Amino acid sequence: MSERSRNLPRRSCLSVPGSSERFLEKAPSIPADMSFLDLEDSVAPLEKEAARGKVVKAIRELPWDDRVLCVRVNAWDTKWTYQDVIEVVGGAGERLDEIMLPKVQSAADVIAMDLLLTQVEKNFGLPIGHIGIEAQIESTIGLINVEEICASSKRLETIVFGPADFAASMEMPVLTGGVQIPTYPGDHFHYVFSKILMAGRAYGLQVIDGPYLKIRDIEGLNDYCQRTANLGYDGKWALHPDQVTEINKIYSPTQEQFDRANAILDAYKEATEGDRKGAVMFGDEMIDEASRKMAIKFVSRGERAGLKRNN
Ligand code: GLV
Ligand code: MG
């Protein structure tokens, strides 16, 4: 795992097609927490090889501030993966934080990437273990194996749901993945969201939701973000700058939540100073060690979003 990026915020994760110099040049000015330069499905097969060099140049020459910087390589079932890694990791230098591996099916897929990264790091003089991995779960077999996948490598930083490929893998009767299905009574992905979240948290990973494909439908995006934000996901992909603004807002705590969480921590600390432990009163509510753990998450997320205490 990359020491630098593991705990950085990933509320908004902007997808940037690696074949487009225009989109690559624009990306650093879009205030996403994380940008990933794509070599996979947003790049046409004939452009895949040329895109590697464009991505390396963009990483080395553009002003990326301190956001998480990632490249999505092609999946292991193509002919491109190993050369993607050698050219991009070898050429990009230390600013590249991580590689995203799409269509992960089993722990072996991640272990293979981990081993390849170690060789490339050795050959190109990078610190061993520098490059982190983001694993995309976007097939039925990937979801079935998500627990072993999350446990498979110290390089893993996040687990990411890919709703479009997943809908295709499930043979769902939809033509757009990752949007509401109005005729379904409930959230058709609730089980999937919860299963991925539990597996990711069990192994200390950040957990990210994938793209919302209707890029002009900000209201629909907002509704969709609420589902994973309310479950506790850390962030969601963005395909357009307007989506970044909305997503950053939804995956940050409100000022009120941030202030209340800080006040809970203060009250709990004061009441349990020394060896006194157990439940204490906070206003008309009883708080205990579990309340402290919940509050800590709001505080760390709020701090990452730049909030300052009002109380
Ligand atoms: C993303 O890669 C998706 O398939 O949704
Ligand atoms: Mg996909």
Side-chain angles (χ1 to χ4, degrees):
M1 63 132 179
S2 169
E3 287 299 337
R4 195 192 83 84
S5 61
R6 186 179 183 89
N7 291 316
L8 286 177
R10 287 173 175 80
R11 292 167 305 170
S12 51
C13 307
L14 180 70
S15 169
V16 187
S19 51
S20 164
E21 274 136 343
R22 189 165 70 85
F23 284 125
L24 287 166
E25 261 162 41
K26 189 158 182 237
S29 67
I30 300 168
D33 288 342
M34 179 249 198
S35 298
F36 70 92
L37 316 185
D38 192 22
L39 298 175
E40 205 222 13
D41 282 355
S42 69
V43 175
L46 285 178
E47 297 190 66
K48 297 254 186 216
E49 283 167 25
R52 294 175 186 142
K54 293 182 190 175
V55 161
V56 168
K57 189 165 180 289
I59 294 170
R60 298 197 79 97
E61 294 179 5
L62 298 177
W64 288 107
D65 58 39
D66 62 355
R67 76 187 62 196
V68 181
L69 195 52
C70 177
V71 171
R72 179 166 73 161
V73 297
N74 289 284
W76 282 125
D77 63 353
T78 69
K79 62 179 180 179
W80 294 295
T81 322
Y82 78 100
Q83 202 59 39
D84 286 347
V85 175
I86 293 167
E87 271 191 47
V88 169
V89 176
E94 286 197 34
R95 181 59 188 84
L96 178 64
D97 295 306
E98 46 181 32
I99 288 293
M100 187 187 303
L101 185 59
K103 301 183 177 68
V104 173
Q105 314 231 21
S106 67
D109 286 3
V110 178
I111 293 166
M113 177 56 66
D114 185 330
L115 294 170
L116 175 58
L117 283 169
T118 303
Q119 291 201 350
V120 177
E121 286 166 344
K122 279 182 184 159
N123 278 319
F124 289 88
L126 290 164
I128 304 302
H130 175 71
I131 302 287
I133 297 177
E134 301 222 349
Q136 271 192 287
I137 300 298
E138 43 185 355
S139 66
T140 49
I141 190 70
L143 188 69
I144 287 168
N145 291 330
V146 66
E147 290 161 27
E148 63 160 59
I149 289 169
C150 287
S152 62
S153 165
K154 285 202 168 61
R155 289 185 191 265
L156 273 174
E157 298 186 21
T158 76
I159 191 90
V160 184
F161 178 48
D165 273 303
F166 188 79
S169 173
M170 285 283 278
E171 299 181 27
M172 283 180 164
V174 293
L175 292 172
T176 311
V179 301
Q180 299 84 341
I181 301 181
T183 47
Y184 185 83
D187 181 349
H188 61 292
F189 276 151
H190 180 72
Y191 168 74
V192 180
F193 288 147
S194 298
K195 185 166 164 113
I196 293 175
L197 180 64
M198 263 189 271
R201 291 290 185 244
Y203 294 97
L205 307 181
Q206 289 202 39
V207 183
I208 309 293
D209 186 17
Y212 187 79
L213 299 161
K214 296 187 170 178
I215 53 177
R216 291 189 213 301
D217 176 15
I218 296 296
E219 215 175 289
L221 170 71
N222 184 303
D223 173 75
Y224 221 77
C225 289
Q226 297 298 344
R227 301 167 194 226
T228 50
N230 278 305
L231 284 174
Y233 273 55
D234 296 283
K236 183 167 174 69
W237 280 17
L239 304 175
H240 186 275
D242 293 345
Q243 289 194 334
V244 169
T245 313
E246 190 67 11
I247 289 171
N248 281 348
K249 218 167 40 195
I250 295 169
Y251 289 88
S252 303
T254 62
Q255 184 70 45
E256 198 186 333
Q257 288 169 325
F258 182 68
D259 289 340
R260 183 174 167 82
N262 272 301
I264 287 174
L265 290 185
D266 287 351
Y268 187 68
K269 183 157 181 266
E270 204 184 305
T272 57
E273 212 78 72
D275 242 0
R276 288 183 290 139
K277 285 252 151 57
V280 297
M281 286 308 285
F282 177 74
D284 59 358
E285 207 180 293
M286 196 161 261
I287 58 170
D288 62 9
E289 184 55 24
S291 320
R292 187 188 67 79
K293 288 180 185 151
M294 289 187 275
I296 276 182
K297 191 74 198 183
F298 278 99
V299 170
S300 60
R301 280 192 177 149
E303 284 171 353
R304 287 194 318 203
L307 293 180
K308 300 270 177 289
R309 283 186 76 161
N310 268 343
N311 55 354

